[in-house]
Amino acid sequence: MYVPLLSQSRSPPERRKGGGTGGHGASGGGGKGSGGSKGSSSSGKGSSSTGGGKISLSGATSYFNSASAYGYGGGKAITIPSGQPFEGRSAGGGTRDQVFGTKYVDIYFPAVLLAELASSARTYGSGYPGIDGRGVSGRGFPFWFWPLIWGSNAGAAQTYLNGSEVRQLAFNCPSLISLSGIGGSVQYGDSFNTTRVGGALMEATFISNNSNPNTTFYLVSDNATVTSLISSISSNCSTYLSTSSSTSPTSFNGSSPSSPRPEQAIQYYRASSVVLALDGYNNSATYSDNSSIPDSPLPSNIDVKLLDCLNQTIGLAAPLVDGALPTLFGTPSIPGLMLLGLLIHWISSCV
């Protein structure tokens, strides 16, 4: 079994300097197998990246303002203090070797790949260090990034996909929802929520340059992460990529039937804040009420080399927040105290 940064059996994709193949940037959307349209540039705010080092972060980042592609992460996990969004939950401490979560199966050998890419890796809620099982409701933030959300359609079909965590306060005080985020897509906002760490959810499309088999993959995460990973993937995987692959992120609409869907997920990373999906794949276990049902096997006619490169590059290069303890949790800052005062005011006005 090959685990990135731990195993020595073979070398993962090296971090390269410079760009990849360029290309025209597919717009990306579930159910479109070949791409070819020229992609639009990202409309969401959330990042600036030079493709390998520090990237700036927007959103709910009072605690930090940057992350590092290929960084190690780590640091001491903290408990989010009272008065802050998601108070009482743990945050931080996740390291690079935990990005894949509980288990990871080497995809170098096609026989292994076709049997199972990773045990539990296709389940929404995987990618959390030491935690298995469906859903993200009530969980902490080991990498600081929020888990992605799939939208109301998926949540209506299977509640764990919405991560619903409805609290009575949300009903008593709707104005608080947009700040603290409570309950499923409400808890983390919709896919366009710019309060999300790294900015609104975005997607990118990566198309194999091998027409037989013709394979299309989708990447979904926050804007900062997708922007950074497009650069890393272009550098590491240019040998396998079509020029129609994305060169910039496009907006992800979790409620659109043309966007990547949860049943297409083949690997979650970084506490379910990043997902790699495969066009044409339909995992019947996704919507099953039986959480122990096996995942549907991956198709046999896919570009294994591109999949291997994408999977390893995401695992190695997905941005991580550096391990230093955020200054907010030392001496409270003036903005932090102001936020606490506003929260207290809003809560008191609802009871």
Side-chain angles (χ1 to χ4, degrees):
M1 181 175 75
Y2 172 79
V3 181
L5 301 181
L6 295 181
S7 300
Q8 302 296 322
S9 59
R10 64 188 178 92
S11 299
E14 295 181 0
R15 175 180 170 184
R16 302 177 186 173
K17 296 181 179 180
T21 59
H24 302 294
S27 59
K32 298 178 182 178
S34 60
S37 59
K38 295 184 179 182
S40 60
S41 62
S42 166
S43 60
K45 297 179 180 179
S47 72
S48 62
S49 174
T50 56
K54 292 258 186 195
I55 63 170
S56 62
L57 296 176
S58 68
T61 55
S62 301
Y63 321 128
F64 46 83
N65 57 18
S66 67
S68 298
Y70 295 94
Y72 183 72
K76 183 179 180 180
I78 58 90
T79 298
I80 298 175
S82 176
Q84 299 295 321
F86 308 109
E87 63 181 65
R89 300 191 194 185
S90 62
T95 57
R96 177 63 61 186
D97 55 320
Q98 297 174 317
V99 165
F100 284 94
T102 51
K103 299 178 182 178
Y104 172 82
V105 175
D106 186 359
I107 65 173
Y108 181 73
F109 301 102
V112 175
L113 169 66
L114 300 180
E116 185 178 28
L117 176 62
S119 178
S120 302
R122 301 174 211 169
T123 301
Y124 182 55
S126 63
Y128 283 80
I131 300 177
D132 203 356
R134 288 174 156 186
V136 299
S137 179
R139 293 189 181 181
F141 307 91
F143 301 97
W144 291 98
F145 291 88
W146 299 3
L148 61 91
I149 59 100
W150 284 112
S152 57
N153 293 335
Q158 189 57 256
T159 55
Y160 82 91
L161 291 171
N162 200 26
S164 57
E165 182 184 346
V166 179
R167 300 175 184 171
Q168 189 62 39
L169 179 60
F171 296 105
N172 293 341
C173 190
S175 62
L176 190 60
I177 292 176
S178 61
L179 181 62
S180 64
I182 298 171
S185 59
V186 179
Q187 179 183 13
Y188 299 111
D190 61 21
S191 57
F192 307 106
N193 179 19
T194 56
T195 304
R196 170 180 294 273
V197 175
L201 288 177
M202 308 296 284
E203 64 178 274
T205 305
F206 300 102
I207 303 170
S208 170
N209 60 10
N210 185 347
S211 59
N212 186 23
N214 191 328
T215 312
T216 299
F217 297 95
Y218 306 112
L219 174 71
V220 179
S221 188
D222 61 89
N223 188 39
T225 295
V226 175
T227 300
S228 178
L229 283 175
I230 286 175
S231 178
S232 298
I233 289 169
S234 294
S235 295
N236 289 336
C237 306
S238 58
T239 302
Y240 313 112
L241 286 173
S242 163
T243 55
S244 296
S245 298
S246 294
T247 57
S248 60
T250 55
S251 181
F252 172 73
N253 182 353
S255 298
S256 172
S258 65
S259 293
R261 301 180 298 275
E263 66 268 27
Q264 296 176 316
I266 59 174
Q267 177 79 47
Y268 287 92
Y269 312 82
R270 206 183 61 184
S272 284
S273 63
V274 185
V275 67
L276 181 66
L278 171 64
D279 181 62
Y281 177 60
N282 187 354
N283 186 1
S284 60
T286 301
Y287 293 108
S288 174
D289 292 331
N290 182 0
S291 61
S292 61
I293 190 172
D295 291 322
S296 299
L298 295 178
S300 58
N301 60 334
I302 61 176
D303 190 334
V304 176
K305 292 182 178 179
L306 176 57
L307 174 54
D308 184 25
C309 189
L310 292 172
N311 192 36
Q312 292 191 56
T313 299
I314 296 169
L316 289 166
L320 298 184
V321 173
D322 294 327
L325 185 66
T327 56
L328 179 64
F329 299 108
T331 303
S333 63
I334 296 300
L337 292 174
M338 291 175 64
L339 176 61
L340 176 58
L342 287 172
L343 282 167
I344 293 173
H345 170 73
W346 280 328
I347 292 173
S348 62
S349 67
C350 299
V351 296

mmCIF file of all heavy atoms in Angstrom, residues 166-194:
data_model
loop_
_atom_site.group_PDB
_atom_site.id
_atom_site.type_symbol
_atom_site.label_atom_id
_atom_site.label_comp_id
_atom_site.label_asym_id
_atom_site.label_seq_id
_atom_site.Cartn_x
_atom_site.Cartn_y
_atom_site.Cartn_z
ATOM 1 N N VAL A 166 -29.691 21.214 12.337
ATOM 2 C CA VAL A 166 -30.585 22.327 12.610
ATOM 3 C C VAL A 166 -30.691 22.545 14.113
ATOM 4 O O VAL A 166 -31.041 21.643 14.858
ATOM 5 C CB VAL A 166 -31.982 22.064 12.014
ATOM 6 C CG1 VAL A 166 -32.914 23.226 12.321
ATOM 7 C CG2 VAL A 166 -31.870 21.862 10.514
ATOM 8 N N ARG A 167 -30.398 23.760 14.543
ATOM 9 C CA ARG A 167 -30.512 24.111 15.954
ATOM 10 C C ARG A 167 -31.687 25.066 16.135
ATOM 11 O O ARG A 167 -32.020 25.855 15.254
ATOM 12 C CB ARG A 167 -29.229 24.805 16.446
ATOM 13 C CG ARG A 167 -27.996 23.931 16.288
ATOM 14 C CD ARG A 167 -26.742 24.714 16.663
ATOM 15 N NE ARG A 167 -25.542 23.940 16.424
ATOM 16 C CZ ARG A 167 -24.331 24.436 16.508
ATOM 17 N NH1 ARG A 167 -24.149 25.707 16.805
ATOM 18 N NH2 ARG A 167 -23.284 23.678 16.290
ATOM 19 N N GLN A 168 -32.304 24.999 17.283
ATOM 20 C CA GLN A 168 -33.486 25.823 17.515
ATOM 21 C C GLN A 168 -33.186 27.307 17.362
ATOM 22 O O GLN A 168 -34.020 28.084 16.916
ATOM 23 C CB GLN A 168 -34.046 25.554 18.921
ATOM 24 C CG GLN A 168 -35.400 26.208 19.186
ATOM 25 C CD GLN A 168 -36.470 25.692 18.243
ATOM 26 O OE1 GLN A 168 -36.514 24.512 17.937
ATOM 27 N NE2 GLN A 168 -37.326 26.580 17.768
ATOM 28 N N LEU A 169 -31.956 27.689 17.671
ATOM 29 C CA LEU A 169 -31.589 29.094 17.568
ATOM 30 C C LEU A 169 -31.767 29.611 16.147
ATOM 31 O O LEU A 169 -32.116 30.765 15.938
ATOM 32 C CB LEU A 169 -30.128 29.284 18.014
ATOM 33 C CG LEU A 169 -29.578 30.720 17.942
ATOM 34 C CD1 LEU A 169 -30.401 31.648 18.819
ATOM 35 C CD2 LEU A 169 -28.119 30.733 18.339
ATOM 36 N N ALA A 170 -31.534 28.724 15.166
ATOM 37 C CA ALA A 170 -31.670 29.140 13.782
ATOM 38 C C ALA A 170 -33.105 29.540 13.464
ATOM 39 O O ALA A 170 -33.357 30.438 12.670
ATOM 40 C CB ALA A 170 -31.222 28.023 12.839
ATOM 41 N N PHE A 171 -34.049 28.841 14.072
ATOM 42 C CA PHE A 171 -35.444 29.174 13.836
ATOM 43 C C PHE A 171 -35.836 30.447 14.592
ATOM 44 O O PHE A 171 -36.623 31.251 14.120
ATOM 45 C CB PHE A 171 -36.338 28.008 14.273
ATOM 46 C CG PHE A 171 -36.113 26.765 13.478
ATOM 47 C CD1 PHE A 171 -35.416 25.692 14.017
ATOM 48 C CD2 PHE A 171 -36.576 26.659 12.170
ATOM 49 C CE1 PHE A 171 -35.202 24.544 13.284
ATOM 50 C CE2 PHE A 171 -36.369 25.512 11.431
ATOM 51 C CZ PHE A 171 -35.682 24.444 11.991
ATOM 52 N N ASN A 172 -35.281 30.626 15.788
ATOM 53 C CA ASN A 172 -35.607 31.798 16.583
ATOM 54 C C ASN A 172 -34.942 33.056 16.039
ATOM 55 O O ASN A 172 -35.464 34.158 16.183
ATOM 56 C CB ASN A 172 -35.157 31.598 18.042
ATOM 57 C CG ASN A 172 -35.962 30.515 18.730
ATOM 58 O OD1 ASN A 172 -37.047 30.162 18.268
ATOM 59 N ND2 ASN A 172 -35.429 29.969 19.812
ATOM 60 N N CYS A 173 -33.802 32.865 15.418
ATOM 61 C CA CYS A 173 -33.015 34.028 14.982
ATOM 62 C C CYS A 173 -32.427 33.784 13.600
ATOM 63 O O CYS A 173 -31.248 33.475 13.470
ATOM 64 C CB CYS A 173 -31.892 34.297 15.985
ATOM 65 S SG CYS A 173 -31.024 35.864 15.721
ATOM 66 N N PRO A 174 -33.224 33.877 12.538
ATOM 67 C CA PRO A 174 -32.730 33.599 11.183
ATOM 68 C C PRO A 174 -31.570 34.483 10.778
ATOM 69 O O PRO A 174 -30.740 34.082 9.977
ATOM 70 C CB PRO A 174 -33.963 33.864 10.307
ATOM 71 C CG PRO A 174 -35.135 33.718 11.229
ATOM 72 C CD PRO A 174 -34.647 34.216 12.559
ATOM 73 N N SER A 175 -31.489 35.700 11.331
ATOM 74 C CA SER A 175 -30.405 36.599 10.930
ATOM 75 C C SER A 175 -29.045 36.084 11.339
ATOM 76 O O SER A 175 -28.017 36.504 10.816
ATOM 77 C CB SER A 175 -30.615 37.987 11.547
ATOM 78 O OG SER A 175 -30.587 37.923 12.961
ATOM 79 N N LEU A 176 -29.021 35.158 12.297
ATOM 80 C CA LEU A 176 -27.752 34.617 12.768
ATOM 81 C C LEU A 176 -27.211 33.545 11.844
ATOM 82 O O LEU A 176 -26.023 33.257 11.842
ATOM 83 C CB LEU A 176 -27.936 34.021 14.173
ATOM 84 C CG LEU A 176 -26.683 33.607 14.950
ATOM 85 C CD1 LEU A 176 -25.782 34.814 15.151
ATOM 86 C CD2 LEU A 176 -27.076 32.996 16.275
ATOM 87 N N ILE A 177 -28.093 32.967 11.010
ATOM 88 C CA ILE A 177 -27.694 31.847 10.170
ATOM 89 C C ILE A 177 -26.545 32.222 9.256
ATOM 90 O O ILE A 177 -25.571 31.491 9.127
ATOM 91 C CB ILE A 177 -28.894 31.345 9.338
ATOM 92 C CG1 ILE A 177 -29.931 30.701 10.268
ATOM 93 C CG2 ILE A 177 -28.445 30.334 8.294
ATOM 94 C CD1 ILE A 177 -31.190 30.263 9.545
ATOM 95 N N SER A 178 -26.636 33.377 8.611
ATOM 96 C CA SER A 178 -25.645 33.739 7.619
ATOM 97 C C SER A 178 -24.270 33.949 8.227
ATOM 98 O O SER A 178 -23.267 33.842 7.549
ATOM 99 C CB SER A 178 -26.072 35.014 6.882
ATOM 100 O OG SER A 178 -26.181 36.089 7.795
ATOM 101 N N LEU A 179 -24.214 34.236 9.517
ATOM 102 C CA LEU A 179 -22.925 34.479 10.157
ATOM 103 C C LEU A 179 -22.333 33.207 10.728
ATOM 104 O O LEU A 179 -21.199 32.859 10.465
ATOM 105 C CB LEU A 179 -23.076 35.528 11.271
ATOM 106 C CG LEU A 179 -21.785 35.884 12.012
ATOM 107 C CD1 LEU A 179 -20.781 36.488 11.032
ATOM 108 C CD2 LEU A 179 -22.075 36.859 13.130
ATOM 109 N N SER A 180 -23.120 32.484 11.523
ATOM 110 C CA SER A 180 -22.563 31.309 12.176
ATOM 111 C C SER A 180 -22.713 30.068 11.333
ATOM 112 O O SER A 180 -21.912 29.151 11.433
ATOM 113 C CB SER A 180 -23.244 31.076 13.530
ATOM 114 O OG SER A 180 -24.616 30.786 13.340
ATOM 115 N N GLY A 181 -23.732 30.004 10.483
ATOM 116 C CA GLY A 181 -23.954 28.844 9.641
ATOM 117 C C GLY A 181 -24.491 27.699 10.457
ATOM 118 O O GLY A 181 -23.805 27.160 11.307
ATOM 119 N N ILE A 182 -25.707 27.297 10.239
ATOM 120 C CA ILE A 182 -26.304 26.231 11.030
ATOM 121 C C ILE A 182 -27.142 25.347 10.127
ATOM 122 O O ILE A 182 -27.995 25.833 9.403
ATOM 123 C CB ILE A 182 -27.184 26.798 12.157
ATOM 124 C CG1 ILE A 182 -26.321 27.619 13.116
ATOM 125 C CG2 ILE A 182 -27.892 25.703 12.920
ATOM 126 C CD1 ILE A 182 -27.116 28.387 14.139
ATOM 127 N N GLY A 183 -26.884 24.043 10.179
ATOM 128 C CA GLY A 183 -27.748 23.090 9.526
ATOM 129 C C GLY A 183 -27.471 22.868 8.057
ATOM 130 O O GLY A 183 -27.899 23.599 7.193
ATOM 131 N N GLY A 184 -26.715 21.770 7.728
ATOM 132 C CA GLY A 184 -26.509 21.359 6.355
ATOM 133 C C GLY A 184 -25.960 22.464 5.495
ATOM 134 O O GLY A 184 -24.981 23.117 5.820
ATOM 135 N N SER A 185 -26.613 22.670 4.337
ATOM 136 C CA SER A 185 -26.153 23.736 3.466
ATOM 137 C C SER A 185 -26.325 25.082 4.156
ATOM 138 O O SER A 185 -25.677 26.060 3.818
ATOM 139 C CB SER A 185 -26.936 23.712 2.149
ATOM 140 O OG SER A 185 -28.303 23.874 2.382
ATOM 141 N N VAL A 186 -27.246 25.153 5.146
ATOM 142 C CA VAL A 186 -27.364 26.372 5.946
ATOM 143 C C VAL A 186 -26.181 26.481 6.888
ATOM 144 O O VAL A 186 -25.613 27.538 7.090
ATOM 145 C CB VAL A 186 -28.695 26.365 6.730
ATOM 146 C CG1 VAL A 186 -28.806 27.616 7.581
ATOM 147 C CG2 VAL A 186 -29.873 26.258 5.774
ATOM 148 N N GLN A 187 -25.791 25.350 7.454
ATOM 149 C CA GLN A 187 -24.684 25.334 8.395
ATOM 150 C C GLN A 187 -23.411 25.907 7.761
ATOM 151 O O GLN A 187 -22.702 26.685 8.387
ATOM 152 C CB GLN A 187 -24.425 23.891 8.850
ATOM 153 C CG GLN A 187 -23.266 23.744 9.819
ATOM 154 C CD GLN A 187 -23.014 22.290 10.175
ATOM 155 O OE1 GLN A 187 -23.533 21.395 9.538
ATOM 156 N NE2 GLN A 187 -22.228 22.059 11.198
ATOM 157 N N TYR A 188 -23.127 25.516 6.542
ATOM 158 C CA TYR A 188 -21.919 25.969 5.868
ATOM 159 C C TYR A 188 -22.222 26.942 4.737
ATOM 160 O O TYR A 188 -21.327 27.298 3.980
ATOM 161 C CB TYR A 188 -21.142 24.768 5.329
ATOM 162 C CG TYR A 188 -20.710 23.822 6.417
ATOM 163 C CD1 TYR A 188 -21.277 22.550 6.532
ATOM 164 C CD2 TYR A 188 -19.752 24.202 7.362
ATOM 165 C CE1 TYR A 188 -20.892 21.686 7.548
ATOM 166 C CE2 TYR A 188 -19.364 23.344 8.374
ATOM 167 C CZ TYR A 188 -19.930 22.083 8.461
ATOM 168 O OH TYR A 188 -19.553 21.233 9.465
ATOM 169 N N GLY A 189 -23.468 27.380 4.615
ATOM 170 C CA GLY A 189 -23.859 28.232 3.516
ATOM 171 C C GLY A 189 -24.022 27.423 2.239
ATOM 172 O O GLY A 189 -23.669 26.244 2.173
ATOM 173 N N ASP A 190 -24.561 28.042 1.189
ATOM 174 C CA ASP A 190 -24.674 27.331 -0.072
ATOM 175 C C ASP A 190 -23.335 27.351 -0.804
ATOM 176 O O ASP A 190 -22.329 27.836 -0.274
ATOM 177 C CB ASP A 190 -25.806 27.921 -0.928
ATOM 178 C CG ASP A 190 -25.571 29.393 -1.284
ATOM 179 O OD1 ASP A 190 -24.412 29.858 -1.227
ATOM 180 O OD2 ASP A 190 -26.561 30.073 -1.617
ATOM 181 N N SER A 191 -23.314 26.823 -2.010
ATOM 182 C CA SER A 191 -22.047 26.704 -2.730
ATOM 183 C C SER A 191 -21.449 28.054 -3.118
ATOM 184 O O SER A 191 -20.259 28.133 -3.430
ATOM 185 C CB SER A 191 -22.246 25.860 -3.992
ATOM 186 O OG SER A 191 -23.254 26.418 -4.826
ATOM 187 N N PHE A 192 -22.254 29.110 -3.056
ATOM 188 C CA PHE A 192 -21.776 30.443 -3.426
ATOM 189 C C PHE A 192 -21.337 31.265 -2.213
ATOM 190 O O PHE A 192 -21.008 32.444 -2.350
ATOM 191 C CB PHE A 192 -22.871 31.201 -4.180
ATOM 192 C CG PHE A 192 -23.421 30.445 -5.357
ATOM 193 C CD1 PHE A 192 -24.680 29.869 -5.308
ATOM 194 C CD2 PHE A 192 -22.666 30.289 -6.504
ATOM 195 C CE1 PHE A 192 -25.187 29.168 -6.391
ATOM 196 C CE2 PHE A 192 -23.159 29.593 -7.597
ATOM 197 C CZ PHE A 192 -24.428 29.030 -7.540
ATOM 198 N N ASN A 193 -21.329 30.664 -1.042
ATOM 199 C CA ASN A 193 -21.029 31.375 0.197
ATOM 200 C C ASN A 193 -19.559 31.807 0.238
ATOM 201 O O ASN A 193 -18.659 30.974 0.342
ATOM 202 C CB ASN A 193 -21.340 30.468 1.398
ATOM 203 C CG ASN A 193 -21.039 31.132 2.724
ATOM 204 O OD1 ASN A 193 -20.939 32.352 2.809
ATOM 205 N ND2 ASN A 193 -20.889 30.323 3.762
ATOM 206 N N THR A 194 -19.301 33.106 0.186
ATOM 207 C CA THR A 194 -17.929 33.606 0.201
ATOM 208 C C THR A 194 -17.348 33.680 1.607
ATOM 209 O O THR A 194 -16.165 33.993 1.772
ATOM 210 C CB THR A 194 -17.857 35.000 -0.452
ATOM 211 O OG1 THR A 194 -18.769 35.885 0.213
ATOM 212 C CG2 THR A 194 -18.219 34.914 -1.928
#
